[in-house]
């Protein structure tokens, strides 16, 4: 799995891979992103989103992604707050995520944030979506808002005994380190890199970044 690391765009599609087996349109979109054809991927994703919205959209209804881990729980939580709720096809959420990811690769961060905020609203307990939204907020210069999304992703994934979720926790910590450094909080960034190394002492990138931050704090 490849992700956004150090502000450089690389593909991280663990949750999209699930949808690949369910909707052939997602296979095409993911392939376009992998081939560097982000603009075409955005167009395909827009077509999917429009079809889902036209078929299922009902005014006043909040839709939640129908996925195995968290879909019904999100729906029930929202229903307790009042209002009308319903489940949406998982591929709808994945198309929004893919659109946001492709727009990020095109550095169209405001548009990417617009797509990802919808994906997060439909699947608020998905750390993959939250991390990507955090990346976009950080890349467009809103580090405090990015930190909130990374923090949510970390809280959702850190205690899970699952390899994919462990990667999401690691990714969230790296995002928080980058956001802290962006805000000039070198002590905070150092703390996040130290946590990364506590999780994986062999994380070469985290070790290099930690050394760099320590030198900066020492005036070097």
């Amino acid at each position: 799995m490849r992700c956004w690391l150090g502000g450089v765009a690389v593909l991280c599609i663990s949750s999209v891979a699930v949808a690949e087996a369910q909707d052939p349109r997602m296979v095409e979109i993911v392939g376009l992103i992998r081939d560097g054809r982000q603009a075409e991927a955005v167009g395909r994703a827009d077509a999917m989103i429009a079809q889902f919205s036209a078929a299922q959209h009902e005014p006043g209804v909040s839709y939640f992604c129908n996925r195995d881990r968290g879909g019904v729980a999100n729906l029930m939580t929202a229903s307790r707050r009042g209002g009308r709720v319903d489940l949406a096809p998982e591929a709808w959420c994945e198309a929004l995520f893919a659109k946001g990811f492709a727009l990020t690769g095109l550095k169209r961060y405001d548009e990417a944030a617009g797509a990802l905020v919808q994906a997060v609203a439909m699947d608020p307990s998905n750390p993959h979506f939250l991390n990507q939204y955090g990346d976009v907020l950080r890349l467009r210069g809103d580090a405090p808002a990015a930190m909130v999304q990374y923090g949510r992703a970390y809280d959702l994934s850190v205690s899970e005994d699952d390899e994919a979720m462990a990667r999401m926790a690691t990714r969230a910590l790296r995002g928080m380190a980058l956001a802290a450094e962006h805000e000039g909080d070198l002590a905070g960034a150092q703390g996040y890199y130290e946590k990364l190394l506590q999780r994986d002492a062999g994380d070469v990138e985290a070790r290099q970044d930690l050394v760099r931050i320590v030198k900066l704090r020492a005036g070097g």
Side-chain angles (χ1 to χ4, degrees):
M1 180 173 66
R2 296 174 290 165
C3 303
W4 276 92
L5 296 177
V8 178
V10 282
L11 190 57
C12 181
I13 53 168
S14 63
S15 64
V16 172
V18 175
E20 288 188 46
Q22 300 172 347
D23 195 311
R25 292 171 295 181
M26 285 306 306
V27 178
E28 181 185 16
I29 290 170
V30 170
L32 288 169
I33 294 173
R34 284 176 170 156
D35 291 342
R37 297 158 64 186
Q38 286 92 345
E40 292 179 63
V42 171
R44 298 290 197 280
D46 273 335
M48 279 187 70
I49 293 163
Q51 288 174 4
F52 281 126
S53 183
Q56 194 161 348
H57 179 68
E58 189 175 345
V61 175
S62 296
Y63 288 97
F64 293 88
C65 185
N66 186 19
R67 65 182 174 94
D68 291 339
R69 187 194 289 264
V72 173
N74 289 331
L75 180 82
M76 293 175 64
T77 297
S79 70
R80 287 194 288 269
R81 294 195 295 264
R84 299 164 63 202
V85 297
D86 200 355
L87 288 175
E90 185 175 12
W92 187 356
C93 310
E94 296 291 358
L96 283 164
F97 171 84
K99 177 182 177 180
F101 188 95
L103 287 166
T104 306
L106 294 168
K107 298 185 179 180
R108 291 159 58 180
Y109 300 135
D110 289 343
E111 295 172 76
L116 289 166
V117 75
Q118 293 179 63
V120 167
M122 294 177 74
D123 200 352
S125 62
N126 188 327
H128 188 40
F129 286 11
L130 291 164
N131 273 329
Q132 186 65 28
Y133 186 32
D135 285 345
V136 169
L137 292 170
R138 174 175 57 80
L139 288 165
R140 75 173 187 178
D142 194 350
M147 191 72 79
V148 172
Q149 303 307 318
Y150 291 135
R152 290 174 60 193
Y154 181 76
D155 290 342
L156 285 164
S157 56
V158 67
S159 62
E160 294 286 338
D161 187 19
D162 176 274
E163 184 179 350
M165 294 294 274
R167 288 196 296 266
M168 290 299 103
T170 295
R171 187 177 177 212
L173 281 173
R174 197 176 303 278
M176 286 189 277
L178 292 167
E181 184 176 358
H182 183 275
E183 289 294 282
D185 180 10
L186 297 183
Q190 179 175 333
Y192 292 125
Y193 285 125
E194 288 171 348
K195 281 188 176 181
L196 279 168
L197 288 170
Q198 288 170 9
R199 293 179 62 84
D200 180 5
D203 188 332
V204 175
E205 184 178 4
R207 188 169 299 281
Q208 291 173 340
D209 282 325
L210 177 59
V211 170
R212 178 177 56 80
I213 292 294
V214 169
K215 287 181 178 179
L216 284 173
R217 294 190 69 194

